[in-house]
Amino acid sequence: MPDGGIGASNKRREDVRFLTGKGNYTDDINIHGQAHVHFLRSDIAHGKIKRLDTSDAEKMPGVLRIFTAADFEGVGGIPCGWQVTDRHGNPMQEPKHPVLAEGKVRYVGEMIAAVVAETPAQARDAAEAIVLDIEELPAVIDMKEAVKDGAPKVHDELESNLCYDWGFVEENREAVDEAIRGAHHVTTLELVNNRLVANPMEPRVAIGIYDQASGDHTLYTTSQNPHVIRLLMGAFVLGIPEHKLRVVSPDVGGGFGSKIFHYAEEAFCTFAAKAVGRPVKWTCSRSEAFISDAQGRDHVTKIELALDEEGHFLAIRTETYANMGAYLSTFAPSVPTWLHGTLMAGNYRTPLIYVNVKAVFTNTVPVDAYRGAGRPEASFQLERVIDKAAREMGIDPVELRRRNFITEFPYATPVAVEYDTGDYNATMDKLLEMADVAGFEKRLEESRKRGKLRGLGINCYIEACGIAPSNLVGQLGARAGLYESATVRVNATGGLVVMTGSHSHGQGHETAFPQVVADMIGIDPSMVEVVHGDTANTPMGMGTYGSRSLAVGGSAIVRATEKIIAKAKKIAAHLMEASEADIELKDGQFTVAGTDKSVAWGDVTLAAYVPHNYPLEDLEPGLEETAFYDPANFTYPAGAYACEVEVDPDTGKVEIVSFCAADDFGNIVNPMIVDGQVHGGLGQGIGQALLEHAVYDENGQLLTGSFMDYAMPRASDVPFYKVDHSCQTPCTHNPLGVKGCGEAGAIGSPPAVVNAVVDALQRAGHDVTHIDMPLSPSRVWAAMQQG
């Protein structure tokens, strides 16, 4: 078997072009004759548009056309891809999301008008010349205030600012209430999951092109799922048949969820290209990104955990307010419900769980999935309340978790999911070894001698990846299938092209997917090329998000490759005059079992296209197959994390001195890529825990609208991580036995950091039970003074 198949840490082949400046990002693409668009955005969070006069701006140099909402009459709004039904059986409130504001603005950053001009500077200058008068209305920012009677309405046509009031599992509600009333001990915690800005390295870009001869539209865009964009924009917004619309998403510089969604700028550029008869390009500035990219998290939660005398979990009850922003982004309704509520069991046996979520419209940027999407919110509240309960009951936090671990699989949770495999004691054992917990007291004493407070935070996590199956999620409100697709084309000389519906924007698909195919055939991975990101030459697929690429997309590739091998065996059988049942494939050689007959992979593939040696009436020429894979269940990666911190008692500054992660990702295709994915997730989780926070004032102005005010983690803010994924319990229902890994670090790390800081303060005698993220020096210092 050639080196470099499944299990090998092959270097990422795509990095060569990225590191040498040869990547092909959307902004690198320039079409002959293209024009540029600049959007006039609202600088008021809530108001009526009283006057919008473009007459002077239209006369400025280079201006081709200025668009307003009037130009989009008859055009659909930006669609939402998931409908949630509330606990009373009613559908959520779903307001129209126009491409350009229609008579009213609802958040700072909403697009009001668009100037298309010869150059970006001319478009920007003309936008500044537009006369705009907005009658400012009271803005509603605080979620709890927004749902009170008499609160200003974000959408006048709706009954209130409450999008939905969701309960799950509703029939458990009374039993949960009763269990909590009768419990030996109940721990209650109120906490905030702070709002975040995704800030991928590459801002969003869109280029619309219209071919007048063929009537074909093309959109180049920075998207994680071009097929979904084609479906949503073509069918529901612009009314373009899918065969007349091509969406291309080339190299993409990170997404973290924020590039899943269909944005109004994409629809505008596609629409405007036909209207002006020129390609139309928009490149987002970093300042625009802060007020136009969908943001993440922003939950306010009260969680109660009921325990018996021995510390066994009896029931969990949560009430969460989830911010939707001013409009429903593509998958926004699903994040605080089906991606959050279904994970509230965590790694533990808790017989009764009830989750209530109130989704609220506010005059802020829309909120949607951000790395982890619902799973970090669930893990954070659960792992924080468990740590608090352990301290209240005088039980070691690790021991309390062990007492409640799920140990038998499959395990059906009370929140409607079934874990197929796991070994939570094994990951905890590995973590305690990696973190040298036995030596903590010595390190604690060393910190004290230097005048520092030291703390240790330990927690577990579980997540659900590869959301599925399609028929189930359709019943839960998904307006799309959640399968994945692959076409495998074998060339006559034996090389393969894998065309996948998944999209790579940092995951390493161009390296990992060839390892899978090469391993199955027994050839070198260099013989396999991956094509993605273009709806014109890839099968209809759902893209990349939710740690689904390998578990779902990789499984589709396996199924297509199995079809390839099956047909190749038939050809090989004819070539060697043997029974197809006796043909074996190993190390790139077809052999007849029990004989010395063999034929090479390349000889068989050549014969597929030069069919001189087999009957065409039995076997058609060519070697190309397509497969669609719809998972039977989620995959459930899980793990245990440990964080050690030092806190400066004079300033409250937190330094992470050690971070260990023991993860169970099932089978591993490329360990190096998995390490990198975990490292990236840990960095983002630590960023949320210590630094990042999107803050709005009472008027709806984003106070943290640049990197001057929004603190991003730097290299000096994170330690050298210790990561391990040797505790493998393979997934039982996909052909690779893999689980997702891309979001784990961002899910498990925030509670570990907060647990560690609270531990440090309590060890120093401060009566502090919780600090809301981000744990900035001022917040930690204030907590010490109050405690």
Side-chain angles (χ1 to χ4, degrees):
M1 171 66 204
D3 293 334
I6 291 175
S9 288
N10 294 356
K11 291 183 178 179
R12 296 191 350 155
R13 63 172 70 172
E14 51 267 66
D15 286 352
V16 174
R17 71 174 184 273
F18 296 149
L19 294 172
T20 57
K22 295 181 174 61
N24 185 35
Y25 298 92
T26 307
D27 192 52
D28 294 325
I29 299 168
N30 292 289
I31 311 300
H32 178 72
Q34 75 185 14
H36 299 265
V37 62
H38 183 85
F39 295 105
L40 175 65
R41 299 181 183 272
S42 177
D43 59 0
I44 289 174
H46 195 200
K48 295 180 180 178
I49 301 173
K50 306 299 289 185
R51 184 185 181 196
L52 181 60
D53 186 349
T54 64
S55 55
D56 290 341
E58 289 167 353
K59 301 171 186 175
M60 294 187 67
V63 174
L64 300 176
R65 182 169 170 179
I66 298 178
F67 294 82
T68 65
D71 296 295
F72 284 82
E73 290 183 9
V75 172
I78 305 302
C80 178
W82 201 295
Q83 177 179 290
V84 166
T85 300
D86 72 12
R87 63 191 187 89
H88 306 293
N90 301 315
M92 66 188 186
Q93 295 199 95
E94 188 173 359
K96 181 183 179 182
H97 184 178
V99 175
L100 297 176
E102 297 178 348
K104 190 177 180 183
V105 293
R106 295 178 173 87
Y107 67 94
V108 172
E110 184 168 7
M111 302 188 316
I112 299 172
V115 179
V116 178
E118 297 287 353
T119 70
Q122 290 173 329
R124 184 169 56 251
D125 289 345
E128 292 176 355
I130 295 174
V131 178
L132 174 65
D133 181 20
I134 297 177
E135 177 189 338
E136 190 166 2
L137 300 172
V140 58
I141 308 302
D142 182 272
M143 288 182 281
K144 292 184 179 180
E145 293 296 321
V147 295
K148 289 182 178 178
D149 291 340
K153 285 186 182 181
V154 178
H155 297 274
D156 297 331
E157 69 275 19
L158 301 186
E159 295 178 3
S160 68
N161 293 319
L162 185 65
C163 177
Y164 56 75
D165 181 1
W166 183 77
F168 189 72
V169 176
E170 191 63 30
E171 50 265 35
N172 287 351
R173 187 171 190 169
E174 291 186 6
V176 170
D177 292 346
E178 184 176 346
I180 290 176
R181 281 194 299 268
H184 170 75
H185 183 87
V186 177
T187 295
T188 302
L189 182 62
E190 297 187 21
L191 47 80
V192 173
N193 207 291
N194 42 321
R195 180 185 278 235
L196 305 174
V197 179
N199 284 320
M201 188 178 295
E202 175 202 30
R204 290 186 295 120
V205 184
I207 307 170
I209 304 168
Y210 180 68
D211 187 327
Q212 296 183 10
S214 65
D216 290 343
H217 296 260
T218 300
L219 170 69
Y220 288 90
T221 183
T222 49
S223 173
Q224 298 177 214
N225 47 1
H227 283 279
V228 174
I229 302 305
R230 183 179 69 164
L231 174 64
L232 294 177
M233 185 179 75
F236 299 103
V237 185
L238 301 180
I240 303 171
E242 284 186 271
H243 68 282
K244 305 300 287 182
L245 174 60
R246 175 190 180 198
V247 177
V248 183
S249 183
D251 289 331
V252 173
F256 313 121
S258 69
K259 293 176 182 173
I260 299 172
F261 325 119
H262 175 39
Y263 287 94
E265 293 90 347
E266 295 168 321
F268 176 84
C269 289
T270 306
F271 178 89
K274 181 178 180 180
V276 302
R278 299 264 296 273
V280 175
K281 181 175 184 177
W282 169 72
T283 298
C284 183
S285 70
R286 185 61 67 182
S287 297
E288 274 186 297
F290 270 96
I291 57 172
S292 64
D293 290 3
Q295 297 175 358
R297 313 287 194 253
D298 205 353
H299 288 189
V300 176
T301 296
K302 177 182 178 182
I303 180 170
E304 297 164 281
L305 172 63
L307 307 94
D308 67 14
E309 296 90 338
E310 302 298 323
H312 297 118
F313 300 167
L314 301 176
I316 291 172
R317 180 171 61 198
T318 74
E319 181 183 30
T320 292
Y321 289 82
N323 205 331
M324 295 289 100
Y327 296 100
L328 292 177
S329 181
T330 306
F331 291 119
S334 68
V335 174
T337 52
W338 300 111
L339 299 183
H340 157 246
T342 53
L343 271 295
M344 282 310 304
N347 309 63
Y348 311 104
R349 299 184 307 272
T350 307
L352 292 167
I353 298 175
Y354 179 74
V355 179
N356 176 242
V357 177
K358 297 175 176 65
V360 183
F361 292 112
T362 63
N363 293 115
T364 61
V365 174
V367 178
D368 208 320
Y370 171 74
R371 196 170 191 168
R375 283 74 55 88
E377 294 90 321
S379 289
F380 183 69
Q381 56 189 275
L382 183 59
E383 293 298 325
R384 282 294 301 122
V385 79
I386 291 173
D387 233 49
K388 186 170 185 275
R391 298 179 189 282
E392 290 175 352
M393 296 189 71
I395 303 173
D396 177 78
V398 172
E399 172 58 25
L400 182 60
R401 288 173 169 85
R402 286 195 191 272
R403 288 185 194 181
N404 291 280
F405 275 161
I406 298 163
T407 56
E408 296 181 1
F409 297 87
Y411 177 81
T413 75
V415 278
V417 295
E418 182 174 282
Y419 304 159
D420 59 333
T421 59
D423 190 340
Y424 310 142
N425 276 302
T427 51
M428 180 62 78
D429 290 342
K430 173 58 71 172
L431 177 76
L432 298 181
E433 173 191 330
M434 295 167 61
D436 184 22
V437 172
F440 175 75
E441 292 298 328
K442 181 180 178 181
R443 298 190 294 275
L444 174 65
E445 188 58 34
E446 290 171 351
S447 296
R448 284 173 177 165
K449 290 178 180 177
R450 291 183 285 106
K452 303 291 186 181
L453 313 183
R454 195 178 191 103
L456 172 64
I458 292 178
N459 63 269
C460 301
Y461 80 90
I462 189 168
E463 63 164 322
C465 302
I467 180 171
S470 293
N471 61 351
L472 172 61
V473 296
Q475 296 172 35
L476 302 181
R479 291 167 170 167
L482 291 169
Y483 54 84
E484 199 45 84
S485 62
T487 295
V488 176
R489 176 182 299 157
V490 184
N491 299 317
T493 53
L496 297 93
V497 179
V498 175
M499 292 160 277
T500 173
S502 299
H503 185 277
S504 182
H505 43 278
Q507 291 81 3
H509 293 175
E510 293 175 41
T511 301
F513 286 167
Q515 288 181 246
V516 171
V517 176
D519 197 85
M520 295 177 68
I521 298 171
I523 57 176
D524 193 279
S526 63
M527 295 178 64
V528 185
E529 179 183 355
V530 173
V531 174
H532 65 92
D534 187 342
T535 61
N537 58 26
T538 57
M540 174 70 178
M542 293 295 105
T544 294
Y545 46 85
S547 302
R548 72 192 303 269
S549 292
L550 193 57
V552 188
S555 294
I557 292 171
V558 169
R559 293 297 184 228
T561 305
E562 288 173 342
K563 293 181 181 180
I564 290 288
I565 292 172
K567 183 174 180 180
K569 283 185 175 180
K570 292 180 181 180
I571 297 172
H574 283 289
L575 295 178
M576 293 185 286
E577 298 180 336
S579 168
E580 180 188 336
D582 293 331
I583 302 298
E584 298 175 349
L585 173 61
K586 184 178 180 182
D587 296 342
Q589 292 285 326
F590 293 92
T591 59
V592 180
T595 76
D596 59 357
K597 288 185 177 181
S598 69
V599 62
W601 167 257
D603 294 331
V604 172
T605 61
L606 181 62
Y609 292 95
V610 186
H612 294 165
N613 298 306
Y614 59 88
L616 296 180
E617 63 270 18
D618 296 336
L619 198 60
E620 64 183 27
L623 201 50
E624 179 174 326
E625 298 288 349
T626 296
F628 287 79
Y629 179 79
D630 200 336
N633 191 2
F634 295 94
T635 69
Y636 298 98
Y641 287 3
C643 176
E644 273 188 50
V645 300
E646 281 191 339
V647 179
D648 187 326
D650 297 325
T651 66
K653 187 177 188 309
V654 175
E655 179 186 358
I656 298 178
V657 295
S658 172
F659 203 106
C660 300
D663 297 290
D664 174 7
F665 296 135
N667 294 334
I668 304 293
V669 170
N670 186 309
M672 182 193 70
I673 289 178
V674 170
D675 285 352
Q677 288 287 302
V678 175
H679 287 186
L682 293 175
Q684 287 184 281
I686 289 170
Q688 175 177 13
L690 295 183
L691 299 161
E692 300 183 50
H693 194 190
V695 180
Y696 289 83
D697 70 11
E698 65 276 10
N699 298 313
Q701 297 293 332
L702 181 62
L703 301 180
T704 52
S706 76
F707 289 143
M708 294 293 289
D709 304 297
Y710 186 94
M712 293 285 284
R714 295 176 168 85
S716 59
D717 296 312
V718 299
F720 285 97
Y721 310 115
K722 295 179 183 178
V723 301
D724 178 88
H725 32 76
S726 63
C727 301
Q728 298 175 6
T729 59
C731 175
T732 61
H733 56 77
N734 68 54
L736 287 166
V738 297
K739 305 178 183 181
C741 72
E743 297 165 295
I747 294 169
S749 55
V753 175
V754 178
N755 286 350
V757 174
V758 171
D759 181 65
L761 270 53
Q762 292 196 349
R763 288 177 185 272
H766 297 285
D767 185 18
V768 175
T769 59
H770 180 69
I771 308 172
D772 277 325
M773 300 184 293
L775 274 62
S776 61
S778 61
R779 286 189 174 187
V780 175
W781 185 87
M784 287 190 288
Q785 308 315 304
Q786 294 167 6

